[in-house]
Every structure is written in C-alpha cells, then in structure tokens.
C-alpha cells in the first residue's frame, strides 16, 4: 500500500541544467537592472527629508514578506516551520544581519551625496574586502591574476576618491561634504559587505540555509538591531518627533521595494550561480548605471569616471576569469 501511495504521488522532477541556466540568466538580468538602477531611482524618488532608518526598516520588512511569499510558493515554508530553531537562526544570521543593517544605512547616506556612476564604481571595492575576509575566515586563496585584478580595483577606487573629493566645486566645504558624507560611508559599507558576505558563505556551508530563509532571518535580526538603535540616535529622535514615514510619498516605495527584491535576487544568484555569474551582474550593472544616468539626467560621466570605468570592468573580468586552482602534486 505504501509503495502504491508513493507511486501515486511522484516527486516533482528536478529542473534540467538548461532550465536552471535559463533561470539563473533571468535572475542575473533582473539583478543587473536593479543594481544598476538603484542609485538613480533612490536619488530621484527618496526626498532628503526622508529619515534614513525609516527607509531601511521598511525595506527589510518588505524583504521578509517577499521571501515568505516565495517560500510558500515553492513549498519550503512548511519544512522550515518544522525544523527552524531560534539558536540556529541566531548562529547563522545574527551577526551578518547586524552588519548588513549598518551597511544599508551607510549606503542610503552615500546615495544622496554621490552621482550614480561614482557610487556604483566605489561600491565595487567590496570585492577586495570580500576576498580578504573569505581568505581569513574560510581560507579561500586567490590566484596571481586575481591579486592583480584587486590592485586594479584599488587604483580605480583611489582615482575616484581623489577626483570626487578634490575636484567637485570650488569650495573646500563642498569637497569635505562629498568626502565624509559620500565617499567614506560607501567605502566603510564595502568593508562591512565583505565581512558579512564571508560570514553568510560560512553559514550556508555549515548550516545549509536556503537563500530565502537567510533573507528572512537576517532581515528580522537587522530590523530589531536598527530599531533598538533608534532609542538614542538622531534618526530615532526624528522618528519620534515627525513619525516613521516623514517625508514619504508614493514614489518613495519604488526604490524601497526595488532594494528589497534586489536583496532576494542577490541570494538567488549567489546560491545557484556563484561568483562567476555575480561578476557578470556587477559589470553589467555598471553599464546600466552609466546609461540610465545619461538618459534620465542628461549628465555624461565625468573624466574621472571615464578613466576608472575600464579599470573596474577589467579588474572584475580578470578576477572572475582566473580563479585559484590547486596544483596537483606530481608523483
């Protein structure tokens, strides 16, 4: 009888490699569009009056809702409900969530003080810190070509920092504002991103968490940490005085929801495709940002951006093309 029942309910066949490749390609295209457009739509649709913490908190809540919907749709929600433990979630997602929450706040500040292409290119320095953290935490080594690619990326970041910090405007105060409210926050966010990415990679290898589950856990923990920080932060005082959605319009939801879906797409691309496809996404996103900035703002890239763009593209391409390979010992 049990055999007959099992035969009556055949398991859903696993997707073929071609179907999986097509799915990963779709995820990659969507992530490239989201990643490239995010600085532009955030700058355009999030008013300066909007409290940074309110947009980050709302984004994290949106991630949880979207991830739960996707888990219910693919049938994994029941299994997670039965097997989930608080200790396991805190071990796998607690520290990365807190780090990502701080990173998101820094990125929100940088969005408002840098042009879209400069922000996207400086944000690529997170690859350097990801490589360093994965080596320190996971022992993942880099090839000689990858080390050279990382140096190219460092040169591009320094060039951008020097150009944006000293060449914009004639007043020193404006240069200091760009440096301390645009360049430094995004570079610190890159360091945090590298650390959090390495911790997530460690958690996925040890705990075998799905990308959706990691998204839910990290968003909840990050939201709680951020909400706790509002007790003494300037943003917390602003929220108590003006309300959580002070300065919001209907258009503010566009970048918030876009950022939430982008967070889910990052997990899917990393889970199903790894770093090679993610490198394609990053390169494509830079081109998307440059194109959208020219089309919608009518502003061509600066000379510093034009000089740095080939360095960034070349470094990421080299890094993904020449991975580290363990040499076989000769007998």
């Amino acid at each position: 009888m049990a055999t007959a029942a099992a035969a009556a309910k055949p398991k859903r066949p696993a997707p073929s490699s071609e179907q999986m490749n097509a799915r990963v390609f779709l995820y990659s295209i969507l992530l490239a569009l989201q990643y490239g457009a995010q600085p532009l739509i955030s700058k355009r649709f999030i008013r300066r009056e909007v409290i940074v913490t309110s947009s980050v908190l709302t984004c994290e809540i949106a991630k949880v809702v979207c991830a739960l919907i996707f888990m219910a749709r693919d049938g994994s929600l029941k299994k997670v409900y039965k097997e989930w433990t608080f200790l396991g979630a805190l071990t796998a997602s607690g520290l990365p969530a807190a780090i990502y929450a701080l990173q998101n706040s820094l990125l929100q500040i940088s969005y408002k003080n840098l042009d879209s292409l400069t922000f996207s290119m400086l944000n690529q320095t997170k690859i350097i810190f990801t490589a360093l953290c994965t080596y320190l935490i996971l022992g993942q080594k880099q090839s000689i070509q990858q080390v050279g690619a990382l140096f190219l990326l460092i040169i591009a970041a320094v060039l951008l920092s020097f150009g944006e910090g000293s060449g914009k405007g004639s007043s020193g105060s404006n240069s200091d504002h760009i440096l301390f409210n645009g360049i430094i926050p995004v570079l610190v966010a890159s360091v945090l991103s590298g650390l959090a990415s390495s911790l997530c990679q460690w958690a996925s290898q040890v705990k075998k968490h799905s990308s959706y589950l990691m998204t839910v856990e990290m968003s909840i923990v990050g939201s709680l940490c951020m909400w706790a920080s509002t007790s003494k932060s300037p943003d917390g005082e602003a929220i108590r005085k003006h309300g959580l959605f002070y300065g919001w319009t209907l258009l503010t939801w566009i970048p918030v929801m876009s950022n939430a879906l982008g967070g889910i797409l990052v997990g899917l691309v990393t889970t199903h495709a790894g770093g090679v496809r993610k490198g394609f996404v990053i390169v494509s996103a830079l081109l998307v940002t440059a194109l959208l900035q020219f089309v919608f703002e009518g502003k061509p890239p600066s000379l510093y951006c034009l000089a740095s763009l080939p360095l960034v593209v070349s470094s990421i391409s080299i890094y993904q093309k020449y991975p580290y390979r363990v040499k076989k010992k000769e007998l």
Side-chain angles (χ1 to χ4, degrees), residues 7-313:
K9 291 184 177 180
K11 290 183 179 180
R12 184 182 297 178
S16 65
S17 60
E18 290 167 359
Q19 289 175 325
M20 183 57 69
N21 287 338
R23 191 178 300 176
V24 169
F25 181 74
L26 176 61
Y27 293 154
S28 301
I29 292 294
L30 292 175
L31 182 56
L33 293 172
Q34 183 276 328
Y35 195 91
Q38 190 65 40
L40 191 69
I41 62 177
S42 293
K43 193 173 181 180
R44 176 163 293 201
F45 296 136
I46 297 181
R47 297 163 60 186
R48 286 188 173 270
E49 295 83 7
V50 172
I51 303 167
V52 171
T53 300
S54 72
S55 61
V56 176
L57 277 172
T58 308
C59 177
E60 295 303 319
I61 294 170
K63 282 184 190 177
V64 172
V65 173
C66 292
L68 289 175
I69 291 172
F70 291 140
M71 289 172 71
R73 189 168 175 268
D74 67 14
S76 63
L77 189 57
K78 281 186 178 180
K79 181 182 177 183
V80 167
Y81 178 75
K82 292 178 181 177
E83 299 177 358
W84 184 86
T85 62
F86 176 76
L87 184 60
L90 196 61
T91 303
S93 306
L95 183 56
I99 293 172
Y100 274 129
L102 177 57
Q103 178 209 359
N104 286 334
S105 295
L106 291 170
L107 291 179
Q108 292 291 333
I109 295 170
S110 294
Y111 281 150
K112 299 179 180 180
N113 295 287
L114 292 175
D115 68 82
S116 304
L117 185 57
T118 300
F119 171 85
S120 290
M121 293 173 69
L122 278 175
N123 199 27
Q124 306 320 308
T125 58
K126 62 188 175 185
I127 295 180
I128 301 170
F129 303 111
T130 300
L132 178 61
C133 292
T134 51
Y135 173 72
L136 294 175
I137 296 173
L138 300 169
Q140 185 175 324
K141 299 180 180 180
Q142 312 296 321
S143 67
I144 295 176
Q145 294 91 337
Q146 286 179 322
V147 173
L150 294 177
F151 274 110
L152 282 178
L153 200 57
I154 292 172
I155 293 170
V158 169
L159 181 61
L160 275 171
S161 299
F162 177 79
E164 291 298 314
S166 63
K168 261 195 175 183
S170 57
S171 64
S173 61
N174 189 44
S175 298
D176 290 343
H177 178 78
I178 292 169
L179 178 63
F180 290 106
N181 294 283
I183 293 171
I184 289 178
V186 74
L187 289 178
V188 173
S190 294
V191 176
L192 296 175
S193 176
L195 177 60
S197 297
S198 302
L199 292 173
C200 286
Q201 187 174 341
W202 174 83
S204 65
Q205 291 174 354
V206 175
K207 298 294 182 180
K208 305 297 182 184
H209 273 31
S210 70
S211 61
Y212 292 140
L213 181 57
M214 286 285 290
T215 298
V216 171
E217 291 175 349
M218 290 174 60
S219 294
I220 291 175
V221 175
S223 298
L224 291 175
C225 291
M226 183 163 289
W227 189 257
S229 71
T230 59
S231 61
K232 294 184 178 180
S233 68
D235 276 9
E237 292 179 9
I239 289 172
R240 287 188 289 274
K241 183 177 180 181
H242 302 290
L244 183 64
F245 295 105
Y246 175 72
W248 281 57
T249 66
L250 286 176
L251 293 177
T252 309
W253 288 96
I254 296 175
V256 169
M257 294 304 299
S258 170
N259 203 10
L261 292 173
I264 292 174
L265 286 170
V266 167
L268 291 171
V269 171
T270 304
T271 299
H272 295 294
V276 175
R277 185 72 71 175
K278 193 175 179 181
F280 158 78
V281 171
I282 292 172
V283 174
S284 302
L286 287 172
L287 301 178
V288 169
T289 301
L291 177 63
L292 291 177
Q293 183 172 282
F294 178 70
V295 170
F296 290 103
E297 295 183 353
K299 183 168 62 175
S302 68
L303 291 177
Y304 290 105
C305 285
L306 290 174
S308 301
L309 183 57
L311 289 176
V312 174
V313 172

